[in-house]
Amino acid sequence: MTTSHKIIPTLDINSFTTILTPTKSESINKKPPKNSQFFISRLTDIDCNNLLDSPFIYDFFTIYFVEKGALHKINQLENLQLKPNEIFFSKPGEVKTWQKMKNLDGYMISFTLDYLLLMVSNKNFINTFDYLLPNAKRKFTLEGPLLYFYQTIFREIIKEYANFQKHSDQMIKLWLFVLLIKTNRIYAKDNESDGLGTSLKSADFIFRRFMLCVEENFTELAQGNVYKPMMIKEYASKLNVNPTYLGECVRKACGKSAKSIINKRTILLAKCQLLHTHNNIAEIAYQLGFESSAYFIRVFKKFEGITPLEYRNRERPKFAV
């Protein structure tokens, strides 16, 4: 669905949970105070009549764990389908819409970054999880003992949340950390990485920080908080490295140039704007820092094979509800 806004609206955790779940949930007996930065619900408690099918930029993490049925969402313009025993980790700054639910059961956990960081002294701790980096796999299939392990974690968390009492908040955070760390170990095993970035080479470390900075900058752009993408020299300055060295680190780590990564992220935001706002081509070109709409059209066509207007006319009907 498109929106009449000039920018894609941002959704906070309290609005999200208020809209998606009924006022009184059968699985929650005594809820924690309002305006909490954490929420958990059974997927059966989601209001099927109000699935947030309009696009929003979510400013919090959400974990979807499906035990029965199926869930279909659009995440960053990509189709996401979750089947039984699958888990998916959604990150802040991503554009999402709900599409369909069918005989759904399982769990949904939402939490802000601030909520998680209250438990750790290292504020960059969350950035050490490999599977939460841009372009990393964030959907996993759980089987056997691993499935039972995750089911236990979710049941313990919702039990503490449903009967909130002294130290429940600390218990929830500890279980949440167990969930996040265990998932990172699964990702590390599947991808032959070290798991928590503990032995990263210098180039890998610079690349990791660069990718996080790119995501941060484009989230700010999408929200209308900044008015042009950062240039490579600006990323280098933020990371306290030479632009040439930054380029070398990025290419060594992923085989691509820093410029190509920025260009790819620029086109993704352009596509989101084309599908989810009523901004004209010139307005989108200006927001993305292009010197002219003609140059924007040329770059877009180079990546997508069609003009921005052709893309909007072809793809927008697929997102209408």
Side-chain angles (χ1 to χ4, degrees):
M1 175 181 284
T2 58
T3 173
S4 59
H5 296 284
K6 286 293 185 181
I7 59 173
I8 303 170
T10 298
L11 191 70
D12 62 56
I13 188 171
N14 292 297
S15 299
F16 173 74
T17 55
T18 299
I19 294 170
L20 271 189
T21 56
T23 304
K24 294 183 179 180
S25 168
E26 293 181 1
S27 61
I28 305 299
N29 298 325
K30 183 180 179 183
K31 291 187 179 182
K34 291 182 178 181
N35 299 320
S36 172
Q37 297 186 75
F38 175 90
F39 182 82
I40 183 171
S41 173
R42 296 291 308 213
L43 290 175
T44 51
D45 291 330
I46 291 176
D47 185 358
C48 296
N49 296 317
N50 199 357
L51 281 184
L52 289 170
D53 49 20
S54 296
F56 287 95
I57 299 171
Y58 289 43
D59 70 354
F60 51 91
F61 292 90
T62 302
I63 305 171
Y64 304 94
F65 176 35
V66 175
E67 292 184 300
K68 296 179 182 179
L71 172 64
H72 180 202
K73 290 172 60 66
I74 303 294
N75 195 82
Q76 293 287 75
L77 301 184
E78 295 289 334
N79 285 301
L80 171 66
Q81 298 188 48
L82 294 179
K83 297 177 292 186
N85 303 335
E86 289 186 335
I87 187 170
F88 178 76
F89 294 79
S90 173
K91 299 195 310 177
E94 296 178 331
V95 180
K96 309 176 187 68
T97 59
W98 287 69
Q99 296 294 306
K100 299 177 182 177
M101 289 169 39
K102 184 177 181 181
N103 304 320
L104 196 61
D105 196 9
Y107 300 89
M108 178 183 72
I109 288 179
S110 299
F111 59 94
T112 66
L113 180 59
D114 288 342
Y115 176 82
L116 197 64
L117 295 183
L118 290 174
M119 286 284 288
V120 295
S121 57
N122 179 7
K123 301 307 179 184
N124 289 316
F125 181 71
I126 193 69
N127 294 334
T128 65
F129 294 120
D130 293 336
Y131 67 103
L132 293 180
L133 288 173
N135 302 322
K137 171 189 173 184
R138 284 182 276 133
K139 185 173 80 169
F140 304 88
T141 301
L142 307 174
E143 299 175 332
L146 194 60
L147 173 62
Y148 178 77
F149 180 81
Y150 275 77
Q151 288 174 325
T152 300
I153 292 177
F154 279 92
R155 288 168 185 163
E156 290 295 325
I157 292 176
I158 203 166
K159 182 171 67 176
E160 288 293 331
Y161 189 83
N163 299 282
F164 209 79
Q165 54 189 306
K166 186 176 181 180
H167 301 311
S168 285
D169 199 41
Q170 287 73 25
M171 288 285 289
I172 289 170
K173 287 189 177 79
L174 289 170
W175 278 117
L176 186 57
F177 272 111
V178 170
L179 190 158
L180 294 172
I181 293 172
K182 181 65 173 180
T183 304
N184 202 58
R185 288 179 176 176
I186 296 170
Y187 181 90
K189 182 179 179 180
D190 292 343
N191 292 272
E192 300 181 348
S193 67
D194 58 9
L196 288 176
T198 52
S199 61
L200 287 174
K201 297 178 181 179
S202 179
D204 294 326
F205 181 69
I206 295 297
F207 171 69
R208 177 191 295 266
R209 292 176 62 203
F210 168 71
M211 293 297 290
L212 292 169
C213 286
V214 169
E215 288 301 303
E216 180 183 340
N217 180 233
F218 277 91
T219 298
E220 292 284 297
L221 265 174
Q223 294 174 325
N225 297 328
V226 297
Y227 299 101
K228 65 175 182 177
M230 290 172 58
M231 301 178 68
I232 293 177
K233 64 179 182 181
E234 294 173 302
Y235 283 112
S237 177
K238 188 171 183 177
L239 298 174
N240 295 314
V241 297
N242 181 278
T244 302
Y245 179 65
L246 172 60
E248 292 172 352
C249 289
V250 171
R251 190 172 292 279
K252 184 176 180 180
C254 70
K256 300 177 181 178
S257 69
K259 183 178 180 181
S260 69
I261 290 174
I262 295 172
N263 285 342
K264 182 178 179 181
R265 194 61 182 82
T266 301
I267 295 301
L268 175 59
L269 180 54
K271 289 160 69 174
C272 287
Q273 294 286 350
L274 287 164
L275 297 183
H276 298 320
T277 75
H278 288 297
N279 294 339
N280 61 40
I281 304 303
E283 289 172 323
I284 294 174
Y286 176 78
Q287 181 189 13
L288 296 177
F290 287 90
E291 59 189 33
S292 69
S293 56
Y295 181 52
F296 167 59
I297 292 171
R298 287 201 303 273
V299 173
F300 189 94
K301 189 171 183 178
K302 178 181 177 181
F303 277 83
E304 297 298 317
I306 56 177
T307 67
L309 185 57
E310 289 171 336
Y311 176 84
R312 169 177 271 175
N313 292 336
R314 187 187 73 181
E315 299 294 327
R316 180 174 277 180
K318 299 178 183 180
F319 291 83
V321 295

